[in-house]
Amino acid sequence: MVARVSIVSLILLVAGGCGVQQPELADCTAYVAGGFRKIAEDRSQRFLGKVQEDTARCRGGEKAVALRGTPWTDWQNYWATADDSSKAPGPSGDHVHLSPNGRGIDGALLDLEYQRIELIKFNLFDNNGTYEQYVRGRAGADGPALKVWEQMRLAKSNPYYAAVGGDGPQLCRGELIRARTLTGICNDIRNPLMGSNGQLFARNVELDATFPELGNNELVKNRHGDRLGLQNPDPQVISRKLFTRIQSAPEKCNEGLGLPGNSPQASCDYKKAPFFNVLAAFWIQFMTHDWFSHLDEGHNDTQLMSTGCAAQLDGGVEKPLTPEQVKQLNCRPEDRIDKGYVAAGAKPATFSYGGKEYLSRAPKTTENKNTAWWDASQLYGFDDISRRRVKRDPKDPAKLLLLTERAGDAGGYLPVLQASDPMNPQWAGQEATAFPDNWSIGMSFYHNVFAREHNLFVDAFRKQTAATPDQDSGLRNPANPDRVIRYKDVSADELFEAARLVVSAQIAKIHTTEWTPQLLYDEPLDLGMNANWYGLLKDSPLVAEALEKVVVNNFGKSPDAKRATQWYSVFASGPGIFGLGNHVYADDPVFARFDPKKKDLWDIKNPDHVNGGVNHFGSPFNFPEEFVTVYRLHPLVPDLIEFRDLKRDANGIRAKIPVVETARGKATQAMHEGGLANWALSMGRQRLGLLTLQNDPLFLQNLPMPRLSSGSGKIDVVALDIIRDRERGVPRFNEFRRQYGLKPLRSFDDFIDPRLPKDSPERAEQQKLIGILHEVYGQHRCDASKVITKAQRNDDGTAINDCLGHTNGTMVDNIEDVDVVVGMLAEFARPHGFAISETQFQVFILNASRRLFSDRFFTSSFRPEFYTQLGFDWVNNNGPEKMMEKGRPNGHEIEVMPLKRVLVRTIPELADELAPVINAFDPWARDRGEYYSLQWKPRKGAESDEAFKR
Ligand code: HEM
């Protein structure tokens, strides 16, 4: 992102010198003349998303200056970063850099790039045994520039041990590097084990800041006293008081069970996001099932534990709940859940370096049972057991098996699990697929859609084969690289694996360029996310060319930490991360963009070409525990789905179907009854739940869990969200923010959105919720002599202490104790169009980039040699051919987005309904209006849609 902005800043500097007559430009000159902020050398000097007064004025005028005192990041107050009302008078848009609006957007992008650079610098902590090397470096190279680790070698017990080199240097080759492997080995050909199933979750916070419940060091004890524990504060009490959806007509909701016969008269209140639909909620559940799981075949350790409903604060003292209080709270003391697996729980080794003591790993670690790669493993499998559930079509083994079970539905549906399939009894009746846990109508939907897409790609390939059997398919076998593989030579297995690569890349593209820009619906994020995929310089080849000349050294190969990480991240935003290193030109850096005029030297025989585009920034890739935390997005799910019938009347709601009645095996049944088209329409038109307090689904608080044989037979998934984070030692909210380079809060009142008028109903609602936070987490008398963190310092350079700036000995809020899942939902102040909070977003900035940067198949191995030429083009064009959207949505010329294309292809009945839709995750009948509007009003033709009457 900086590339665009540094050029912009030069323009600004010149303009400042020319004395342009705008009041804020004096401030712009001052800040540009002051030079760019240096990247922090020490974590306590981090950027924190806060800028100087003149910078704020230059980019956002007085409004931005006025809000500098809040803990929230400044960029959200710059010009043009929200809807039309955020624009300054005058020109705006992508290329009007000098205007206030241009400065606002460029400034926001610059701030976001600073955050990414500092996150890469300060927030990578591996648990697999490489952390000491990260700190010390190795053989003359800085730790963050390391690329290969002993710990990422295959063990003797691995069936591919000999194939990758056994005891000698290990290098994946031949068949092992052709496609995504089942267990995820050999994505990085020099680090075979990285990202494979069973690798340990990483951390994004300092290792000694994890597990505050254990009170392992002085800072943690000072921060939390003796107030924390797995059950403290009580998880079910938190769930019932702070997460329960309040109902205006409880009898019409029936705790999420609706009314008999799925009557449309049923109604469950929930707070709705006007710009994001239910398809988006289930999309992210579908993604998490690809990325990570702590559970093994749907269960945890054998030992059971309580989930609370035992005690609450009363006058500042914790007291057991009375039976009346239990009844009033509607919680269940007899609920039980299986304890989480722990991979390593013994005390970790320590080492010292530069006069400091370090832990070599977190006090406890857990395994990611999935492959960490974005490899569609939820569809195709991540180990032998999950693969056995994946059925191939015996008539054409390149295809997935789809059985046509609905009249008039040509596409077909996935088969149901058979008794012979490996399965957990509670999955009976569900579709047979690799990741079957927590199955819902949404999972059924996406698994069927992408199985159809897989097969459509195979059909297109077969058609091409029939037309040009002797033509080069582009595919190569690295074991026999010189052999041209013609279309007619491609085997069913080869085609199956190529289709998996194509589907995985499409999913990553949908997530990066369609889902995320709608989750974070504003201009800076739209540009930023597209930059991750296409690059900021997509439309500026001349600038790109100039930039490539400047980048004379290959940062990716540098042993210097700064070059290998900071500069790499900055310059990668020019060409984009996707496809980095997939062309090699003489004397050009890894950042070279495709140029048909130059000879492409990329060679499958050269391991440096195959693997050359990846960068792990010194820390082997896996998701951190903290990433799982911020994906606990259960409030997105409504209790009732508003079911529609495409053929009869898309605007009418025919039934209100409880989500719990469309879970597990019932999902499959509901899918077969309703059909993909009607479920797509229903979930596409309905708004999802806002990620905020008192907005969790009632059905998830009362989810039947017969497998546990507990007294209640149920589990409160919301309470479980809290307990699991505590089990995994996720720091509590304020320290979490400090660790991630965001400002902490001083009291619960800081949560209230400072932009709201004093007498607004929204402020009154927020104040009410803050009152409950007080009740649940309480206060304590502070002691200014107790230092509570080393992650940050106060603005004046002093240590942050227990009083958080309040007078010594006074009562202060226990803001340090707030669980992250509570704090992130209590962040009422958010950037425009953000369905998530800025704390969650901060975690995404780092990890969303990393899962692209680290994956060879999204960087240097995104090549026809692996994908086939047809597959390579299919990913680039969002299907068989490129299609452009009409008009300029939000001021940009855009391609028809990839999920919209997939839906029209796999469910052709939706073509008319989707025609006016720009982004498949925006409610389909909403009028998108002008420039990032969040209005809830119907588009033409949908005026009678009942969803707009409420
Ligand atoms: C019908 C819908 C859903 C059901 C029935 C459901 C159920 C559950 C249950 C029972 C767990 C607890 C597993 C455990 O720790 O023992 C869980 C965990 C989780 N859920 Fe959901 N969920 C649903 C939707 C969603 C959605 C929409 C998201 C969005 C991202 C989501 C994200 C997660 C995450 C991140 C975890 C933690 C997984 C882990 O610890 O590895 N869930 N869910």
Side-chain angles (χ1 to χ4, degrees):
M1 296 176 202
V2 155
R4 166 192 146 111
V5 193
S6 11
I7 295 154
V8 176
S9 59
L10 280 176
I11 303 168
L12 271 178
L13 190 60
V14 174
C18 297
V20 177
Q21 295 305 303
Q22 278 185 31
E24 297 93 12
L25 268 186
D27 296 274
C28 300
T29 315
Y31 108 75
V32 172
F36 282 114
R37 197 180 187 284
K38 288 211 167 54
I39 302 298
E41 287 301 324
D42 182 84
R43 74 178 60 249
S44 64
Q45 303 155 352
R46 282 173 79 159
F47 167 49
L48 309 183
K50 306 300 287 183
V51 296
Q52 302 291 319
E53 186 173 329
D54 49 13
T55 310
R57 186 170 291 111
C58 168
R59 297 172 177 177
E62 293 311 318
K63 184 179 129 217
V65 173
L67 289 163
R68 279 180 62 245
T70 70
W72 317 111
T73 50
D74 284 335
W75 69 263
Q76 53 190 297
N77 306 311
Y78 301 164
W79 304 118
T81 58
D83 61 11
D84 253 340
S85 66
S86 69
K87 285 183 180 170
S92 61
D94 201 14
H95 297 290
V96 194
H97 298 302
L98 249 184
S99 72
N101 293 324
R103 295 198 303 264
I105 293 166
D106 289 336
L109 285 171
L110 187 57
D111 286 4
L112 294 171
E113 185 57 45
Y114 269 114
Q115 300 274 29
R116 179 161 84 179
I117 293 172
E118 291 196 353
L119 285 161
I120 290 174
K121 179 164 181 176
F122 294 114
N123 289 84
L124 300 181
F125 301 89
D126 175 48
N127 261 331
N128 286 292
T130 71
Y131 181 58
E132 186 168 348
Q133 299 163 56
Y134 182 81
V135 174
R136 289 184 192 279
R138 193 196 328 130
D142 293 335
L146 294 178
K147 313 247 167 302
V148 184
W149 301 269
E150 283 279 303
Q151 288 79 0
M152 294 296 120
R153 294 166 59 89
L154 294 189
K156 270 204 168 66
S157 53
N158 191 294
Y160 298 103
Y161 175 72
V164 300
D167 278 347
Q170 292 195 345
L171 179 75
C172 303
R173 60 197 118 199
E175 286 293 332
L176 275 177
I177 70 167
R178 295 197 76 172
R180 295 187 176 279
T181 58
L182 177 61
T183 58
I185 60 166
C186 290
N187 186 313
D188 182 318
I189 66 175
R190 299 187 193 283
N191 295 287
L193 200 57
M194 193 192 309
S196 62
N197 67 359
Q199 284 289 285
L200 300 178
F201 279 102
R203 306 296 313 213
N204 274 174
V205 298
E206 287 173 287
L207 299 172
D208 54 9
T210 62
F211 293 90
E213 290 78 6
L214 300 178
N216 274 346
N217 57 58
E218 208 51 34
L219 292 174
V220 169
K221 285 186 202 143
N222 288 347
R223 189 155 68 236
H224 301 291
D226 55 4
R227 300 186 298 271
L228 300 194
L230 199 58
Q231 304 285 346
N232 306 87
D234 189 298
Q236 276 198 61
V237 172
I238 294 178
S239 163
R240 301 292 158 163
K241 290 192 174 179
L242 283 164
F243 288 75
T244 305
R245 284 181 179 154
I246 310 287
Q247 297 303 317
S248 57
E251 70 289 353
K252 287 191 180 174
C253 178
N254 191 15
E255 295 216 317
L257 296 176
L259 295 176
N262 297 330
S263 161
Q265 301 310 317
S267 169
C268 288
D269 293 336
Y270 66 108
K271 301 173 194 167
K272 306 173 183 90
F275 56 97
F276 221 24
N277 63 19
V278 173
L279 278 183
F282 287 121
W283 173 265
I284 191 60
Q285 189 188 15
F286 180 57
M287 288 301 92
T288 61
H289 291 178
D290 178 353
W291 299 330
F292 55 77
S293 174
H294 286 79
L295 278 71
D296 190 5
E297 288 291 286
H299 56 76
N300 251 305
D301 222 339
T302 43
Q303 249 187 321
L304 295 184
M305 63 179 169
S306 160
T307 67
C309 188
Q312 66 178 356
L313 280 187
D314 185 350
V317 184
E318 186 159 89
K319 293 195 184 141
L321 292 177
T322 63
E324 293 74 46
Q325 286 168 330
V326 168
K327 202 162 156 216
Q328 196 192 359
L329 283 167
N330 198 15
C331 61
R332 295 179 300 268
E334 62 280 20
D335 276 16
R336 293 289 176 273
I337 191 72
D338 35 8
K339 282 191 175 170
Y341 286 119
V342 176
K347 216 164 169 230
T350 58
F351 64 93
S352 44
Y353 180 74
K356 283 206 291 196
E357 275 287 298
Y358 292 87
L359 295 180
S360 58
R361 61 158 169 80
K364 294 183 201 172
T365 60
T366 65
E367 281 179 11
N368 186 353
K369 306 284 183 190
N370 279 3
T371 62
W373 305 115
W374 217 342
D375 55 0
S377 56
Q378 77 277 46
L379 303 168
Y380 297 102
F382 41 89
D383 60 14
D384 288 330
I385 295 182
S386 57
R387 181 45 79 90
R388 276 168 53 205
R389 287 188 285 265
V390 180
K391 308 278 188 295
R392 304 217 343 216
D393 188 342
K395 292 205 266 348
D396 181 352
K399 287 187 171 178
L400 289 163
L401 180 61
L402 287 176
L403 302 170
T404 311
E405 293 194 10
R406 286 190 89 245
D409 210 342
Y413 290 79
L414 286 164
V416 170
L417 282 166
Q418 301 298 307
S420 54
D421 288 324
M423 66 189 258
N424 187 323
Q426 75 195 31
W427 301 335
Q430 288 180 202
E431 281 98 333
T433 185
F435 195 100
D437 205 27
N438 296 332
W439 198 248
S440 62
I441 189 71
M443 295 313 91
S444 169
F445 179 77
Y446 283 118
H447 279 259
N448 278 302
V449 163
F450 283 97
R452 285 186 179 188
E453 175 70 3
H454 175 108
N455 287 2
L456 284 176
F457 174 72
V458 174
D459 283 340
F461 196 91
R462 298 275 184 231
K463 207 167 136 201
Q464 186 68 40
T465 306
T468 59
D470 294 317
Q471 200 177 306
D472 181 359
S473 69
L475 193 68
R476 293 292 180 274
N477 182 352
N480 185 6
D482 293 324
R483 187 183 139 238
V484 170
I485 303 181
R486 295 164 301 179
Y487 274 94
K488 69 178 184 196
D489 303 329
V490 176
S491 72
D493 277 349
E494 286 171 336
L495 183 51
F496 180 85
E497 295 302 343
R500 176 182 184 173
L501 279 170
V502 170
V503 168
S504 318
Q506 281 184 287
I507 286 177
K509 190 173 184 184
I510 290 168
H511 190 86
T512 308
T513 65
E514 193 167 358
W515 186 83
T516 313
Q518 197 62 36
L519 171 93
L520 312 167
Y521 190 50
D522 59 36
E523 177 72 358
L525 267 298
D526 193 74
L527 291 175
M529 292 315 297
N530 277 293
N532 267 4
W533 198 267
Y534 300 107
L536 276 175
L537 304 174
K538 181 174 140 212
D539 302 322
S540 321
L542 281 179
V543 183
E545 191 83 355
L547 185 67
E548 282 163 33
K549 295 253 159 62
V550 176
V551 189
V552 282
N553 286 315
N554 184 338
F555 298 127
K557 286 187 184 147
S558 171
D560 173 71
K562 250 191 201 146
R563 284 170 175 272
T565 60
Q566 296 168 27
W567 289 114
Y568 193 99
S569 166
V570 170
F571 283 99
S573 29
I577 306 172
F578 191 78
L580 258 189
N582 70 350
H583 290 91
V584 177
Y585 304 120
D587 305 326
D588 262 350
V590 70
F591 307 100
R593 299 169 77 238
F594 173 60
D595 183 349
K597 294 192 294 293
K598 288 190 191 167
K599 184 172 166 47
D600 183 4
L601 305 174
W602 192 98
D603 184 356
I604 198 168
K605 285 181 267 187
N606 185 338
D608 286 340
H609 290 181
V610 170
N611 215 50
V614 300
N615 193 342
H616 318 299
F617 303 106
S619 204
F621 175 70
N622 210 311
F623 291 107
E625 302 279 13
E626 291 74 22
F627 186 76
V628 178
T629 299
V630 298
Y631 272 105
R632 295 186 177 281
L633 303 180
H634 291 124
L636 295 178
V637 185
D639 281 286
L640 304 175
I641 298 205
E642 299 169 355
F643 189 77
R644 296 162 190 266
D645 187 327
L646 185 67
K647 285 206 183 106
R648 290 165 81 176
D649 174 16
N651 289 333
I653 295 169
R654 314 203 75 80
K656 298 267 185 73
I657 305 185
V659 176
V660 72
E661 289 301 317
T662 62
R664 300 182 182 140
K666 291 182 191 164
T668 311
Q669 200 187 330
M671 179 53 70
H672 292 169
E673 279 165 23
L676 273 174
N678 289 333
W679 281 109
L681 170 72
S682 307
M683 296 192 283
R685 285 215 176 184
Q686 188 174 349
R687 288 162 288 177
L688 55 58
L690 272 177
L691 290 163
T692 190
L693 290 178
Q694 292 193 335
N695 203 27
D696 265 76
L698 296 171
F699 84 90
L700 281 182
Q701 287 178 318
N702 304 301
L703 193 70
M705 274 285 188
R707 78 174 168 88
L708 295 168
S709 313
S710 67
S712 64
K714 290 184 181 173
I715 192 73
D716 179 339
V717 176
V718 183
L720 193 55
D721 277 340
I722 292 166
I723 295 187
R724 291 292 189 223
D725 278 358
R726 292 178 184 172
E727 268 189 309
R728 295 167 197 164
V730 175
R732 303 272 169 122
F733 181 73
N734 241 14
E735 181 64 10
F736 189 94
R737 280 181 62 89
R738 287 190 198 100
Q739 289 283 336
Y740 270 100
L742 293 169
K743 281 214 140 195
L745 278 60
R746 294 178 61 227
S747 70
F748 296 136
D749 284 342
D750 276 345
F751 278 120
I752 293 170
D753 187 345
R755 296 166 294 198
L756 288 174
K758 290 264 173 296
D759 53 357
S760 73
E762 290 97 329
R763 180 178 275 258
E765 169 71 8
Q766 292 177 10
Q767 228 128 22
K768 185 196 90 185
L769 291 166
I770 295 309
I772 306 176
L773 269 177
H774 265 282
E775 197 182 303
V776 170
Y777 285 96
Q779 293 189 315
H780 73 281
R781 193 166 298 284
C782 77
D783 178 349
S785 70
K786 290 182 172 170
V787 174
I788 62 165
T789 184
K790 60 182 164 60
Q792 287 182 18
R793 301 181 81 78
N794 290 313
D795 291 344
D796 63 5
T798 56
I800 298 179
N801 66 51
D802 183 41
C803 290
L804 298 171
H806 303 282
T807 309
N808 189 23
T810 55
M811 294 300 282
V812 298
D813 292 348
N814 291 335
I815 181 85
E816 296 297 332
D817 299 352
V818 171
D819 295 88
V820 174
V821 285
V822 176
M824 71 194 194
L825 297 181
E827 282 179 56
F828 305 120
R830 290 182 189 186
H832 176 85
F834 263 46
I836 51 169
S837 71
E838 71 168 30
T839 306
Q840 290 167 290
F841 173 58
Q842 190 79 349
V843 180
F844 296 175
I845 296 180
L846 176 59
N847 294 288
S849 305
R850 245 165 92 71
R851 69 185 166 214
L852 293 177
F853 273 128
S854 280
D855 192 321
R856 164 168 77 89
F857 290 108
F858 294 149
T859 52
S860 42
S861 289
F862 176 60
R863 294 274 313 181
E865 286 84 343
F866 301 103
Y867 283 74
T868 73
Q869 188 62 49
L870 192 78
F872 183 81
D873 295 342
W874 193 279
V875 175
N876 281 331
N877 298 336
N878 299 334
E881 74 297 321
K882 204 181 268 309
M883 286 171 70
M884 298 307 289
E885 201 62 74
K886 283 195 232 78
R888 290 175 62 84
N890 291 326
H892 301 287
E893 194 174 279
I894 58 167
E895 288 170 30
V896 178
M897 291 196 190
L899 182 61
K900 177 170 164 181
R901 295 286 305 277
V902 168
L903 291 179
V904 174
R905 254 195 315 274
T906 55
I907 317 173
E909 308 92 291
L910 291 175
D912 289 346
E913 169 72 17
L914 281 171
V917 172
I918 301 296
N919 184 312
F921 298 113
D922 200 345
W924 292 0
R926 179 175 94 99
D927 178 351
R928 263 163 83 98
E930 293 304 313
Y931 198 73
Y932 300 98
S933 156
L934 305 182
Q935 68 189 351
W936 183 239
K937 89 173 197 217
R939 64 162 164 74
K940 232 169 125 232
E943 293 83 357
S944 65
D945 185 332
E946 293 168 39
F948 293 92
K949 302 206 175 101
R950 285 160 293 122

